[in-house]
Amino acid sequence: MRAARLIKMVLLLQSRPSMTAAELAEELEVSERTVTRDALALSEAGVPVYADRGRAGGYRLVGGYRTRLTGLARGEAEALFLSGLPGALRDMGLEDAASAARLKVSAALLPSVRDAPDSVARRFLLDAPGWYQEPETPEMLPPIAEAVWDDRTIAARYRRGDGTEVERELRPYGLVLKAGVWYLCAGTDGSFRTYRVDRFTAVAVGEDRFERDPDFDLSAFWSDRSHEFARSLLRAETVLRLTAAGARRLPYVTDRAAAEEALAAGTTDADGRLRVVLRVENEEVAFGQLLGLGPEAEVLAPDTLRKRFAEAARGLGELYGEDLP
């Protein structure tokens, strides 16, 4: 434990011109007295740690000393590639590994480019969760992430959409964070499936490691499945007549791919409006989405949806009638 702390102290001093005892104590999570003892131990071991006295003093390395103890452990190297997702790292229990990896990389950089990590962090940030929601960390995410990293099988209990629970033996291949929701891509029964992590009610990580399929591509798998999933939700159709403005706005109020497909196959009426057949999730969802187009879209079918819009129009007329010219 102390050896790891001493190495971290050297790397911290190597990555910065100097640090006060208080700063080192905070980074190392020890007392300032312990920092003093560690600095003395490093000096006795031949590491040229110099202490500047006074209020503005601190510790620094003398003579451009550089240690070669910067080799990344496997877990640190893997976590480094996720360092742009601090929330995801914290949720999966990899924050410490990523911090150690960044520190080692910073220590290995030349002084002229040592501020590069801070410079990038000040300019770019990847914020994965969507708007208007407070992301929650699924309780079973840390053990699942552990199994994914180690290629270990898991015995899990999973709650389906209808509320029933099933037991599964899974080979966890990868995790995906989509709009603040975690998904597990796992192998089972000779195929691959996707599971919402927040629906796992129990997870036991096994001792056995599984052999990964070398042909499995997480990015390609997710792209295919997410597209299939989005298409599978569009089980109904509605026929619309759109003004030019309505046609422009349609992709912004409903499924973009479905809207673009409908617009491409649309036909123009005699009055210049575009008649399209739009795939939608259901009538309720379509009503909420298309209502945002106002008079720029006319629902022709199904008749039940058209009647809902007529009722909404009458209600708006009654509400704002006295203000109409």
Side-chain angles (χ1 to χ4, degrees):
M1 187 71 173
R2 190 190 185 198
R5 190 175 71 243
L6 292 174
I7 292 173
K8 185 173 182 178
M9 183 174 180
V10 173
L11 293 174
L12 284 167
L13 293 175
Q14 185 172 310
S15 64
R16 307 178 193 181
S18 68
M19 295 183 70
T20 65
E23 290 172 338
L24 284 167
E26 182 178 359
E27 289 280 357
L28 300 172
E29 298 181 350
V30 295
S31 66
E32 293 186 30
R33 186 186 296 266
T34 299
V35 169
T36 301
R37 289 198 297 265
D38 286 351
L40 179 61
L42 287 172
S43 181
E44 292 174 349
V47 179
V49 179
Y50 183 78
D52 292 313
R53 306 297 179 184
R55 293 181 59 187
Y59 292 93
R60 59 186 174 88
L61 294 176
V62 179
Y65 176 85
R66 299 181 65 79
T67 178
R68 295 188 179 275
L69 295 174
T70 54
L72 294 179
R74 180 178 179 84
E76 295 169 345
E78 291 171 335
L80 185 61
F81 288 98
L82 290 170
S83 59
L85 291 167
L89 284 167
R90 181 179 59 253
D91 293 346
M92 291 189 293
L94 297 171
E95 192 172 26
D96 290 342
S99 176
R102 287 193 295 268
L103 180 59
K104 289 182 178 182
V105 170
S106 297
L109 294 175
L110 294 173
S112 59
V113 294
R114 194 168 289 161
D115 66 339
D118 288 336
S119 177
V120 171
R122 286 195 296 267
R123 289 168 171 80
F124 301 101
L125 174 67
L126 177 59
D127 185 11
W131 292 102
Y132 313 120
Q133 61 182 3
E134 186 67 28
E136 295 183 2
T137 303
E139 183 180 354
M140 297 297 141
L141 179 60
I144 290 176
E146 176 190 346
V148 169
W149 285 119
D150 291 342
D151 294 337
R152 294 187 184 276
T153 58
I154 61 173
R157 196 161 63 245
Y158 186 76
R159 186 180 66 255
R160 289 172 168 170
D162 60 6
T164 61
E165 291 194 357
V166 294
E167 294 185 353
R168 292 285 185 266
E169 295 284 339
L170 302 175
R171 300 183 303 280
Y173 269 70
L175 284 164
V176 176
L177 177 59
K178 171 70 172 180
V181 180
W182 285 96
Y183 296 88
L184 172 67
C185 302
T188 177
D189 299 329
S191 63
F192 292 97
R193 299 185 63 180
T194 303
Y195 302 85
R196 281 186 60 135
V197 175
D198 58 5
R199 290 185 180 174
F200 284 99
T201 58
V203 170
V205 181
E207 295 295 328
D208 297 332
R209 284 188 167 88
F210 64 90
E211 185 174 347
R212 297 179 70 91
D213 183 347
D215 295 328
F216 179 80
D217 184 322
L218 179 61
S219 178
F221 172 80
W222 176 257
S223 178
D224 291 342
R225 289 302 173 90
S226 58
H227 179 71
E228 291 175 7
F229 176 73
R231 293 288 296 175
S232 70
L233 293 176
L234 307 179
R235 302 185 180 95
E237 289 184 348
T238 181
V239 182
L240 309 173
R241 292 177 73 240
L242 302 168
T243 64
R248 288 195 300 270
R249 291 167 53 190
L250 185 64
Y252 299 98
V253 300
T254 187
D255 181 83
R256 178 175 289 272
E260 291 175 349
E261 181 181 304
L263 293 171
T267 58
T268 304
D269 286 347
D271 62 357
R273 293 201 174 200
L274 187 66
R275 182 184 296 253
V276 300
V277 179
L278 177 70
R279 290 175 58 85
V280 294
E281 186 171 344
N282 55 52
E283 187 172 307
E284 185 67 31
V285 172
F287 177 73
Q289 293 174 337
L290 299 175
L291 196 62
L293 295 178
E296 308 302 331
E298 177 188 359
V299 175
L300 302 179
D303 189 57
T304 51
L305 183 58
R306 181 178 175 86
K307 288 180 178 178
R308 290 191 65 176
F309 273 90
E311 292 172 2
R314 281 194 293 271
L316 289 171
E318 294 172 1
L319 186 62
Y320 296 104
E322 60 183 26
D323 295 326
L324 295 175

